Amino acid sequence: MPTKHLLRIENLHHSFENEEVLKGISFSLDKGETKVIVGPSGTGKSTVLNNIIRLVPPTRGKIYLEDTEITSAKNINEIRQQIGFVFQDFGLFNHLTAKGNVMIGLTKVKKMDKNEAEELALFELDRVGLKDYANSYPSQLSGGQKQRVGIARALAMQPKLILFDEPTSALDPELTGEVLKVMRNLAEEGMTMLVVTHEMGFARSVADELIFMEGGNIVEQGDPEKLFTDPDHKRTKEFLFQLTNLYGEGEK
Amino acid sequence: MLDIFMEYYPLFLRGLGVTVFVTIISCFSGTVLGTFLALGKIYGNKFVSALVRLFISIIRGTPLLVQLFIIYYGLPAYGIRLTPIIAAVISFIINSGAYQAEYLRGSIQSISGSQLKAAQSIGMTKWQGIRHIILPQALRRVIPSWTNEFIYMIKYSSLAYVIGAKELMTEGKLIASRNYQFFNVYFIVALIYLVVIVIFVYLFNKIEKKVTIP
Ligand SMILES: Nc1ncnc2c1ncn2[C@@H]1O[C@H](COP(=O)(O)OP(=O)(O)OP(=O)(O)O)[C@@H](O)[C@H]1O
Ligand SMILES: [Mg+2]
């Protein structure tokens, strides 16, 4: 059956050795939507994201990108080009400048002409506010700048959606703002995003839906405001209360 | 001593030329061989990885001179006849490749696994990630060990004199057997090795500085 969803996950299971860490996750993402996943450490949030682009192949279940079933698709490298990924530890290529990091996927994967790739790379760096840092190497950038290069690198591939795995949790608190601002702008521009984060301010003001995961299951998902103020499950209330105490409400 | 050098310098220089040629070819080809061995050991399947391990332990576990003799004196029994220089170059490539594989393996493994993950996340195949992301970093890190390997190789290449390859040591021996000035002749030979090594070390340090990522 064809679907209007951009991304659809059906009954996703994952086991490491004999330990089942995902026990049947299902949700979907429409074009232009931003969904935020929260949950305690070790709950399987990263595993969901890694399963989607098959950096870790899922054990069972189906994932659709538009009409294509991507869990068993042979051309995984083509599918990965359509799904951006932003890593907690940035994952920048250390031997390349900011510009080189953004360009390399264009020249080596998309086989784009070098001048064209450079132009697009500078455009994307400008979009994340880093045009002046195009020739800096990762070691010369702050954490917040590195993560923005990571976002520019994902954007340059012109993906259909971007997955973020705790994009700000490796940053000093004063640097999270600049990264969240870029993500907020992307959401406003209509980018489709799936974000694992503990930034509740971002979740409340940007997310179309909040997904609370625990122990490999989705406990509750829905309108962020509802989950914060009037959740159906006691665990949701406890966890979000804890998070808000720990991280504050953030800028709204 | 200077007069001996002036008299025989064409021979010394010819020998030096062969030494440098043999060393450069062996070292660079050794890097190529070593790279494939290291990749096979790290990323290859069980069979490839075991084969590489076996090869490396055989080469590192036997004397270079023995390897040289097997290739030069042993292979003709199987119909493969090589000139001394070719035999020397082949055995040096194999030997250097095995050592360089180990340096490279360490260097590749010191690069975080998240680099390859990031490469794959933008649609690179594993091989593209290795080629464009991992190796450029690993090869830079291996330059200091590589410089050491090059110094060893210049000196070890003198072993080729035992099979009559006309490198610096062989030329020195020929000159000394003509004028019987053993001390002076070998002293000049030693001096030439020293000067050449100092020059190459200087060059490689320059290159290392130039390609270092801030
Ligand atoms: N490569 C692996 N091998 C074995 N077990 C793993 C592996 N990666 C993750 N796990 C386990 O799977 C579970 C889920 O891990 P995952 O990283 O998805 O959690 P998470 O929700 O992202 O946690 P965090 O908030 O700490 O990032 C954890 O118990 C973890 O120990
Ligand atoms: Mg995680």
Side-chain angles (χ1 to χ4, degrees):
Chain A
M1 188 191 77
T3 158
K4 73 178 178 68
H5 299 302
L6 181 63
L7 182 78
R8 187 158 54 98
I9 298 177
E10 274 180 8
N11 200 20
L12 186 67
H13 287 257
H14 191 85
S15 303
F16 287 110
E17 277 107 50
N18 290 322
E19 197 203 346
E20 191 170 44
V21 299
L22 295 182
K23 302 169 181 165
I25 300 287
S26 303
F27 66 91
S28 62
L29 204 57
D30 290 343
K31 193 168 185 309
E33 269 190 328
T34 295
K35 290 198 179 180
V36 165
I37 303 179
V38 290
S41 183
T43 272
K45 306 178 299 291
S46 299
T47 306
V48 171
L49 300 191
N50 286 322
N51 273 180
I52 295 172
I53 59 164
R54 254 161 66 189
L55 281 176
V56 177
T59 313
R60 190 149 59 83
K62 292 207 180 319
I63 301 173
Y64 297 86
L65 180 67
E66 291 173 331
D67 294 331
T68 320
E69 206 268 292
I70 60 175
T71 25
S72 60
K74 287 213 176 62
N75 54 345
I76 185 64
N77 299 311
E78 267 167 52
I79 286 153
R80 286 182 183 143
Q81 292 175 45
Q82 302 173 44
I83 304 178
F85 202 105
V86 174
F87 296 87
Q88 178 172 0
D89 69 352
F90 324 124
L92 293 190
F93 307 133
N94 295 318
H95 63 304
L96 298 173
T97 60
K99 187 173 73 183
N101 266 277
V102 183
M103 277 175 72
I104 195 157
L106 301 174
T107 53
K108 303 298 179 197
V109 179
K110 290 200 162 177
K111 313 283 182 206
M112 194 182 273
D113 166 77
K114 218 174 159 200
N115 293 326
E116 214 179 315
E118 185 170 7
E119 203 174 311
L120 181 54
L122 290 173
F123 171 79
E124 297 298 356
L125 284 172
D126 193 26
R127 212 166 148 194
V128 299
L130 288 176
K131 197 164 196 152
D132 296 339
Y133 294 87
N135 294 317
S136 303
Y137 285 91
S139 61
Q140 299 168 321
L141 298 171
S142 73
Q145 291 169 332
K146 280 186 216 176
Q147 193 55 293
R148 285 187 282 153
V149 174
I151 295 173
R153 178 175 69 187
L155 282 172
M157 300 301 285
Q158 295 175 320
K160 292 185 173 140
L161 75 155
I162 304 183
L163 314 177
F164 295 81
D165 193 0
E166 305 204 31
T168 58
S169 49
L171 300 178
D172 293 335
E174 70 270 21
L175 298 177
T176 57
E178 62 188 59
V179 173
L180 293 176
K181 187 168 157 240
V182 167
M183 292 168 60
R184 202 176 295 259
N185 288 341
L186 287 178
E188 274 162 23
E189 287 167 25
M191 176 54 79
T192 314
M193 310 198 288
L194 181 58
V195 186
V196 174
T197 183
H198 292 311
E199 295 290 337
M200 288 305 106
F202 177 85
R204 285 180 91 155
S205 59
V206 180
D208 297 294
E209 189 172 89
L210 186 59
I211 298 172
F212 170 50
M213 266 181 74
E214 187 165 51
N217 290 301
I218 294 181
V219 177
E220 187 166 354
Q221 57 184 321
D223 175 33
E225 231 27 68
K226 176 173 185 309
L227 262 67
F228 273 99
T229 54
D230 181 27
D232 292 337
H233 294 262
K234 194 163 151 270
R235 262 311 281 159
T236 313
K237 189 173 190 148
E238 284 169 7
F239 182 77
L240 291 180
F241 180 74
Q242 248 180 10
L243 263 196
T244 318
N245 275 350
L246 251 134
Y247 294 89
E249 305 224 345
E251 2 133 27
K252 268 196 95 175
Chain B
M1 203 174 287
L2 192 63
D3 52 314
I4 297 177
F5 183 73
M6 290 319 285
E7 191 181 344
Y8 293 103
Y9 77 89
L11 299 183
F12 281 121
L13 292 188
R14 190 175 70 185
L16 175 63
V18 173
T19 292
V20 170
F21 171 80
V22 166
T23 304
I24 288 180
I25 298 271
S26 305
C27 251
F28 277 98
S29 310
T31 304
V32 175
L33 175 63
T35 303
F36 282 107
L37 291 174
L39 293 179
K41 193 164 172 182
I42 297 172
Y43 299 108
N45 58 31
K46 261 197 198 126
F47 177 73
V48 171
S49 154
L51 208 65
V52 170
R53 215 185 308 267
L54 181 69
F55 176 80
I56 292 176
S57 39
I58 289 175
I59 298 301
R60 295 209 308 176
T62 53
L64 176 54
L65 195 56
V66 175
Q67 295 161 15
L68 188 58
F69 275 27
I70 288 176
I71 287 177
Y72 186 65
Y73 294 115
L75 286 185
Y78 298 93
I80 302 171
R81 238 166 264 283
L82 302 166
T83 67
I85 290 184
I86 301 287
V89 166
I90 290 176
S91 65
F92 293 161
I93 289 174
I94 291 173
N95 189 272
S96 185
Y99 279 91
Q100 292 194 49
E102 283 302 294
Y103 303 146
L104 268 159
R105 186 183 57 85
S107 168
I108 289 171
Q109 285 177 334
S110 75
I111 290 163
S112 153
S114 68
Q115 292 277 299
L116 195 56
K117 252 180 100 176
Q120 290 177 300
S121 82
I122 55 171
M124 286 195 189
T125 60
K126 196 171 178 184
W127 170 242
Q128 280 179 316
I130 291 168
R131 177 158 144 38
H132 299 299
I133 306 300
I134 304 293
L135 280 183
Q137 298 182 54
L139 288 169
R140 281 184 172 88
R141 285 192 198 182
V142 91
I143 292 177
S145 325
W146 193 89
T147 304
N148 263 337
E149 178 66 15
F150 193 90
I151 295 169
Y152 273 114
M153 189 51 77
I154 287 193
K155 294 184 291 186
Y156 273 121
S157 69
S158 62
L159 277 181
Y161 99 95
V162 297
I163 59 168
K166 290 201 169 155
E167 45 68 69
L168 183 54
M169 189 62 199
T170 312
E171 296 287 2
K173 196 164 180 274
L174 289 175
I175 294 165
S177 64
R178 255 188 254 173
N179 66 5
Y180 299 105
Q181 303 250 5
F182 294 101
F183 181 85
N184 288 340
V185 170
Y186 288 130
F187 196 87
I188 291 171
V189 168
L191 216 54
I192 295 176
Y193 276 115
L194 181 63
V195 168
V196 169
I197 286 171
V198 167
I199 291 172
F200 273 111
V201 167
Y202 174 80
L203 264 175
F204 291 144
N205 286 343
K206 275 249 145 123
I207 292 172
E208 189 188 342
K209 282 221 177 69
K210 202 167 167 142
V211 301
T212 294
I213 299 301

